[in-house]
Amino acid sequence: SEKIGLSPKFLVYDDSDQTVLVKECLAALNIDTGKISPNAIVEKISRAKDSCLDPESFALKCEGNPYLMKISKVYELYQKRLMQLEAVDFGDLIRLAVKMFDENSELLSLYRRRWKYVMVDEYQDTNHAQYRLIEHLAREHRNICVVGDEDQSIYRWRGADVSNILRFAEDFPGCDVVKLEQNYRSSKSFIRASAVLINNNAGRTNKEIRTDN
């Protein structure tokens, strides 16, 4: 943690802590909370961190958008205050780990040797920061197994990127892809009806769900 300017006894802020701190930042910047919701700012900051965007990178993406530029100013002060308080939020727990691995190859090698096997469930709901962390840890030894179904990706609103699972075979060429196509819960009529809808999804792996029920 010292490598990113934090004490080993750093605090972890939850959603309510984040909201309180954002409100303090809004007051310090004289931004009217009647025109911009603290909860909306917390959401934007969290999604930025899910994409591994620090305040500077986020500000660059916001150029030309007055509303987002205002949020970027809050994000900048918010992150500065967090570091002063020796604290991180949930988004930082992965984003800052990725940052450390980006900047310190010796540290990355240490953890690659420590964690020689990586398994990820619900891979269709991983965000960009999680993808970067997984790739860092598994890129060298390639002992990685992921489980997921792109048709069940439902968390895009909180940063999930379904392309992570769709391009897994490209990221790790030579991997074995095992399709689990037999459904043990639902009736044939339900499977047929749902397939009519699901088969219209853009960007999906071809699979034929079947059942004996």
Side-chain angles (χ1 to χ4, degrees), residues 102-120:
D102 283 341
E103 298 175 352
N104 192 314
S105 58
E106 291 184 5
L107 185 68
L108 176 57
S109 294
L110 172 67
Y111 281 97
R112 279 177 172 172
R113 291 194 300 270
R114 178 175 296 181
W115 293 320
K116 295 181 180 179
Y117 299 90
V118 177
M119 184 167 186
V120 186

PDB file of all heavy atoms in Angstrom, residues 102-120:
ATOM      1  N   ASP A 102       0.820  -2.210 -12.996  1.00  0.00           N
ATOM      2  CA  ASP A 102       1.260  -1.488 -14.194  1.00  0.00           C
ATOM      3  C   ASP A 102       2.637  -0.872 -13.997  1.00  0.00           C
ATOM      4  O   ASP A 102       3.459  -0.831 -14.919  1.00  0.00           O
ATOM      5  CB  ASP A 102       0.270  -0.366 -14.542  1.00  0.00           C
ATOM      6  CG  ASP A 102      -0.996  -0.859 -15.210  1.00  0.00           C
ATOM      7  OD1 ASP A 102      -0.989  -2.001 -15.733  1.00  0.00           O
ATOM      8  OD2 ASP A 102      -1.982  -0.113 -15.221  1.00  0.00           O
ATOM      9  N   GLU A 103       2.879  -0.384 -12.794  1.00  0.00           N
ATOM     10  CA  GLU A 103       4.071   0.412 -12.534  1.00  0.00           C
ATOM     11  C   GLU A 103       5.210  -0.362 -11.888  1.00  0.00           C
ATOM     12  O   GLU A 103       6.334   0.155 -11.812  1.00  0.00           O
ATOM     13  CB  GLU A 103       3.698   1.610 -11.643  1.00  0.00           C
ATOM     14  CG  GLU A 103       2.683   2.552 -12.293  1.00  0.00           C
ATOM     15  CD  GLU A 103       2.224   3.667 -11.366  1.00  0.00           C
ATOM     16  OE1 GLU A 103       2.595   3.606 -10.161  1.00  0.00           O
ATOM     17  OE2 GLU A 103       1.515   4.564 -11.829  1.00  0.00           O
ATOM     18  N   ASN A 104       4.951  -1.587 -11.429  1.00  0.00           N
ATOM     19  CA  ASN A 104       5.984  -2.319 -10.700  1.00  0.00           C
ATOM     20  C   ASN A 104       6.014  -3.772 -11.168  1.00  0.00           C
ATOM     21  O   ASN A 104       5.249  -4.616 -10.693  1.00  0.00           O
ATOM     22  CB  ASN A 104       5.707  -2.235  -9.184  1.00  0.00           C
ATOM     23  CG  ASN A 104       6.881  -2.713  -8.358  1.00  0.00           C
ATOM     24  OD1 ASN A 104       7.462  -3.753  -8.634  1.00  0.00           O
ATOM     25  ND2 ASN A 104       7.227  -1.944  -7.335  1.00  0.00           N
ATOM     26  N   SER A 105       6.898  -4.068 -12.102  1.00  0.00           N
ATOM     27  CA  SER A 105       6.970  -5.418 -12.667  1.00  0.00           C
ATOM     28  C   SER A 105       7.450  -6.442 -11.638  1.00  0.00           C
ATOM     29  O   SER A 105       7.055  -7.609 -11.684  1.00  0.00           O
ATOM     30  CB  SER A 105       7.903  -5.428 -13.885  1.00  0.00           C
ATOM     31  OG  SER A 105       9.202  -4.978 -13.530  1.00  0.00           O
ATOM     32  N   GLU A 106       8.320  -6.019 -10.692  1.00  0.00           N
ATOM     33  CA  GLU A 106       8.795  -6.956  -9.669  1.00  0.00           C
ATOM     34  C   GLU A 106       7.647  -7.391  -8.759  1.00  0.00           C
ATOM     35  O   GLU A 106       7.537  -8.566  -8.393  1.00  0.00           O
ATOM     36  CB  GLU A 106       9.914  -6.317  -8.843  1.00  0.00           C
ATOM     37  CG  GLU A 106      11.208  -6.111  -9.623  1.00  0.00           C
ATOM     38  CD  GLU A 106      12.319  -5.576  -8.742  1.00  0.00           C
ATOM     39  OE1 GLU A 106      12.106  -5.460  -7.512  1.00  0.00           O
ATOM     40  OE2 GLU A 106      13.399  -5.270  -9.280  1.00  0.00           O
ATOM     41  N   LEU A 107       6.792  -6.432  -8.397  1.00  0.00           N
ATOM     42  CA  LEU A 107       5.634  -6.750  -7.561  1.00  0.00           C
ATOM     43  C   LEU A 107       4.684  -7.677  -8.310  1.00  0.00           C
ATOM     44  O   LEU A 107       4.166  -8.646  -7.742  1.00  0.00           O
ATOM     45  CB  LEU A 107       4.913  -5.468  -7.163  1.00  0.00           C
ATOM     46  CG  LEU A 107       3.753  -5.629  -6.181  1.00  0.00           C
ATOM     47  CD1 LEU A 107       4.261  -6.059  -4.815  1.00  0.00           C
ATOM     48  CD2 LEU A 107       2.970  -4.321  -6.061  1.00  0.00           C
ATOM     49  N   LEU A 108       4.473  -7.402  -9.591  1.00  0.00           N
ATOM     50  CA  LEU A 108       3.604  -8.252 -10.398  1.00  0.00           C
ATOM     51  C   LEU A 108       4.151  -9.672 -10.469  1.00  0.00           C
ATOM     52  O   LEU A 108       3.404 -10.649 -10.321  1.00  0.00           O
ATOM     53  CB  LEU A 108       3.463  -7.673 -11.802  1.00  0.00           C
ATOM     54  CG  LEU A 108       2.664  -8.503 -12.812  1.00  0.00           C
ATOM     55  CD1 LEU A 108       1.263  -8.788 -12.297  1.00  0.00           C
ATOM     56  CD2 LEU A 108       2.612  -7.788 -14.160  1.00  0.00           C
ATOM     57  N   SER A 109       5.451  -9.817 -10.666  1.00  0.00           N
ATOM     58  CA  SER A 109       6.066 -11.148 -10.729  1.00  0.00           C
ATOM     59  C   SER A 109       5.880 -11.896  -9.416  1.00  0.00           C
ATOM     60  O   SER A 109       5.652 -13.107  -9.406  1.00  0.00           O
ATOM     61  CB  SER A 109       7.550 -11.023 -11.057  1.00  0.00           C
ATOM     62  OG  SER A 109       7.742 -10.506 -12.354  1.00  0.00           O
ATOM     63  N   LEU A 110       5.986 -11.173  -8.303  1.00  0.00           N
ATOM     64  CA  LEU A 110       5.792 -11.789  -6.989  1.00  0.00           C
ATOM     65  C   LEU A 110       4.409 -12.407  -6.867  1.00  0.00           C
ATOM     66  O   LEU A 110       4.265 -13.561  -6.430  1.00  0.00           O
ATOM     67  CB  LEU A 110       5.993 -10.730  -5.897  1.00  0.00           C
ATOM     68  CG  LEU A 110       5.633 -11.170  -4.464  1.00  0.00           C
ATOM     69  CD1 LEU A 110       6.588 -12.242  -3.986  1.00  0.00           C
ATOM     70  CD2 LEU A 110       5.659  -9.967  -3.520  1.00  0.00           C
ATOM     71  N   TYR A 111       3.386 -11.670  -7.275  1.00  0.00           N
ATOM     72  CA  TYR A 111       2.021 -12.178  -7.138  1.00  0.00           C
ATOM     73  C   TYR A 111       1.687 -13.210  -8.196  1.00  0.00           C
ATOM     74  O   TYR A 111       0.855 -14.095  -7.962  1.00  0.00           O
ATOM     75  CB  TYR A 111       1.027 -11.012  -7.153  1.00  0.00           C
ATOM     76  CG  TYR A 111       0.981 -10.320  -5.814  1.00  0.00           C
ATOM     77  CD1 TYR A 111       1.714  -9.161  -5.577  1.00  0.00           C
ATOM     78  CD2 TYR A 111       0.243 -10.855  -4.764  1.00  0.00           C
ATOM     79  CE1 TYR A 111       1.695  -8.548  -4.335  1.00  0.00           C
ATOM     80  CE2 TYR A 111       0.219 -10.257  -3.519  1.00  0.00           C
ATOM     81  CZ  TYR A 111       0.949  -9.098  -3.308  1.00  0.00           C
ATOM     82  OH  TYR A 111       0.946  -8.509  -2.080  1.00  0.00           O
ATOM     83  N   ARG A 112       2.317 -13.146  -9.350  1.00  0.00           N
ATOM     84  CA  ARG A 112       2.120 -14.205 -10.344  1.00  0.00           C
ATOM     85  C   ARG A 112       2.664 -15.527  -9.818  1.00  0.00           C
ATOM     86  O   ARG A 112       2.089 -16.590 -10.066  1.00  0.00           O
ATOM     87  CB  ARG A 112       2.811 -13.824 -11.650  1.00  0.00           C
ATOM     88  CG  ARG A 112       2.019 -12.871 -12.517  1.00  0.00           C
ATOM     89  CD  ARG A 112       2.788 -12.492 -13.755  1.00  0.00           C
ATOM     90  NE  ARG A 112       1.969 -11.722 -14.683  1.00  0.00           N
ATOM     91  CZ  ARG A 112       2.457 -11.130 -15.773  1.00  0.00           C
ATOM     92  NH1 ARG A 112       3.739 -11.210 -16.060  1.00  0.00           N
ATOM     93  NH2 ARG A 112       1.653 -10.449 -16.572  1.00  0.00           N
ATOM     94  N   ARG A 113       3.771 -15.463  -9.094  1.00  0.00           N
ATOM     95  CA  ARG A 113       4.336 -16.696  -8.519  1.00  0.00           C
ATOM     96  C   ARG A 113       3.486 -17.193  -7.356  1.00  0.00           C
ATOM     97  O   ARG A 113       3.374 -18.398  -7.127  1.00  0.00           O
ATOM     98  CB  ARG A 113       5.778 -16.447  -8.052  1.00  0.00           C
ATOM     99  CG  ARG A 113       6.775 -16.217  -9.179  1.00  0.00           C
ATOM    100  CD  ARG A 113       8.208 -16.312  -8.675  1.00  0.00           C
ATOM    101  NE  ARG A 113       8.503 -15.330  -7.644  1.00  0.00           N
ATOM    102  CZ  ARG A 113       8.975 -14.113  -7.885  1.00  0.00           C
ATOM    103  NH1 ARG A 113       9.185 -13.715  -9.147  1.00  0.00           N
ATOM    104  NH2 ARG A 113       9.242 -13.284  -6.898  1.00  0.00           N
ATOM    105  N   ARG A 114       2.884 -16.261  -6.635  1.00  0.00           N
ATOM    106  CA  ARG A 114       2.082 -16.646  -5.472  1.00  0.00           C
ATOM    107  C   ARG A 114       0.755 -17.260  -5.896  1.00  0.00           C
ATOM    108  O   ARG A 114       0.299 -18.247  -5.313  1.00  0.00           O
ATOM    109  CB  ARG A 114       1.824 -15.414  -4.594  1.00  0.00           C
ATOM    110  CG  ARG A 114       0.952 -15.699  -3.388  1.00  0.00           C
ATOM    111  CD  ARG A 114       0.827 -14.485  -2.497  1.00  0.00           C
ATOM    112  NE  ARG A 114       2.102 -14.092  -1.911  1.00  0.00           N
ATOM    113  CZ  ARG A 114       2.246 -13.058  -1.076  1.00  0.00           C
ATOM    114  NH1 ARG A 114       1.192 -12.335  -0.737  1.00  0.00           N
ATOM    115  NH2 ARG A 114       3.434 -12.757  -0.588  1.00  0.00           N
ATOM    116  N   TRP A 115       0.111 -16.671  -6.908  1.00  0.00           N
ATOM    117  CA  TRP A 115      -1.181 -17.159  -7.382  1.00  0.00           C
ATOM    118  C   TRP A 115      -1.000 -17.764  -8.760  1.00  0.00           C
ATOM    119  O   TRP A 115      -1.152 -17.089  -9.785  1.00  0.00           O
ATOM    120  CB  TRP A 115      -2.200 -16.022  -7.406  1.00  0.00           C
ATOM    121  CG  TRP A 115      -2.531 -15.538  -6.021  1.00  0.00           C
ATOM    122  CD1 TRP A 115      -2.705 -16.303  -4.910  1.00  0.00           C
ATOM    123  CD2 TRP A 115      -2.708 -14.182  -5.606  1.00  0.00           C
ATOM    124  NE1 TRP A 115      -2.986 -15.520  -3.825  1.00  0.00           N
ATOM    125  CE2 TRP A 115      -3.003 -14.208  -4.218  1.00  0.00           C
ATOM    126  CE3 TRP A 115      -2.665 -12.961  -6.265  1.00  0.00           C
ATOM    127  CZ2 TRP A 115      -3.236 -13.052  -3.491  1.00  0.00           C
ATOM    128  CZ3 TRP A 115      -2.909 -11.810  -5.535  1.00  0.00           C
ATOM    129  CH2 TRP A 115      -3.184 -11.861  -4.167  1.00  0.00           C
ATOM    130  N   LYS A 116      -0.706 -19.063  -8.790  1.00  0.00           N
ATOM    131  CA  LYS A 116      -0.386 -19.740 -10.052  1.00  0.00           C
ATOM    132  C   LYS A 116      -1.628 -20.231 -10.791  1.00  0.00           C
ATOM    133  O   LYS A 116      -1.534 -20.627 -11.953  1.00  0.00           O
ATOM    134  CB  LYS A 116       0.557 -20.914  -9.771  1.00  0.00           C
ATOM    135  CG  LYS A 116       1.921 -20.483  -9.229  1.00  0.00           C
ATOM    136  CD  LYS A 116       2.814 -21.679  -8.984  1.00  0.00           C
ATOM    137  CE  LYS A 116       4.177 -21.235  -8.449  1.00  0.00           C
ATOM    138  NZ  LYS A 116       5.068 -22.397  -8.176  1.00  0.00           N
ATOM    139  N   TYR A 117      -2.761 -20.226 -10.118  1.00  0.00           N
ATOM    140  CA  TYR A 117      -4.006 -20.673 -10.750  1.00  0.00           C
ATOM    141  C   TYR A 117      -5.094 -19.647 -10.446  1.00  0.00           C
ATOM    142  O   TYR A 117      -5.238 -19.198  -9.304  1.00  0.00           O
ATOM    143  CB  TYR A 117      -4.415 -22.057 -10.240  1.00  0.00           C
ATOM    144  CG  TYR A 117      -3.381 -23.117 -10.536  1.00  0.00           C
ATOM    145  CD1 TYR A 117      -2.367 -23.391  -9.619  1.00  0.00           C
ATOM    146  CD2 TYR A 117      -3.379 -23.807 -11.744  1.00  0.00           C
ATOM    147  CE1 TYR A 117      -1.398 -24.342  -9.894  1.00  0.00           C
ATOM    148  CE2 TYR A 117      -2.416 -24.758 -12.028  1.00  0.00           C
ATOM    149  CZ  TYR A 117      -1.431 -25.019 -11.098  1.00  0.00           C
ATOM    150  OH  TYR A 117      -0.463 -25.949 -11.376  1.00  0.00           O
ATOM    151  N   VAL A 118      -5.837 -19.285 -11.466  1.00  0.00           N
ATOM    152  CA  VAL A 118      -6.880 -18.272 -11.323  1.00  0.00           C
ATOM    153  C   VAL A 118      -8.196 -18.846 -11.843  1.00  0.00           C
ATOM    154  O   VAL A 118      -8.252 -19.394 -12.943  1.00  0.00           O
ATOM    155  CB  VAL A 118      -6.528 -16.997 -12.128  1.00  0.00           C
ATOM    156  CG1 VAL A 118      -7.666 -15.980 -12.027  1.00  0.00           C
ATOM    157  CG2 VAL A 118      -5.215 -16.392 -11.635  1.00  0.00           C
ATOM    158  N   MET A 119      -9.249 -18.735 -11.025  1.00  0.00           N
ATOM    159  CA  MET A 119     -10.575 -19.153 -11.477  1.00  0.00           C
ATOM    160  C   MET A 119     -11.560 -18.038 -11.191  1.00  0.00           C
ATOM    161  O   MET A 119     -11.552 -17.461 -10.094  1.00  0.00           O
ATOM    162  CB  MET A 119     -11.029 -20.435 -10.777  1.00  0.00           C
ATOM    163  CG  MET A 119     -12.365 -20.936 -11.298  1.00  0.00           C
ATOM    164  SD  MET A 119     -12.744 -22.618 -10.761  1.00  0.00           S
ATOM    165  CE  MET A 119     -14.254 -22.907 -11.697  1.00  0.00           C
ATOM    166  N   VAL A 120     -12.392 -17.714 -12.179  1.00  0.00           N
ATOM    167  CA  VAL A 120     -13.335 -16.606 -12.051  1.00  0.00           C
ATOM    168  C   VAL A 120     -14.735 -17.096 -12.404  1.00  0.00           C
ATOM    169  O   VAL A 120     -14.958 -17.626 -13.487  1.00  0.00           O
ATOM    170  CB  VAL A 120     -12.958 -15.441 -12.994  1.00  0.00           C
ATOM    171  CG1 VAL A 120     -13.874 -14.244 -12.741  1.00  0.00           C
ATOM    172  CG2 VAL A 120     -11.495 -15.046 -12.815  1.00  0.00           C
TER     173      VAL A 120
END
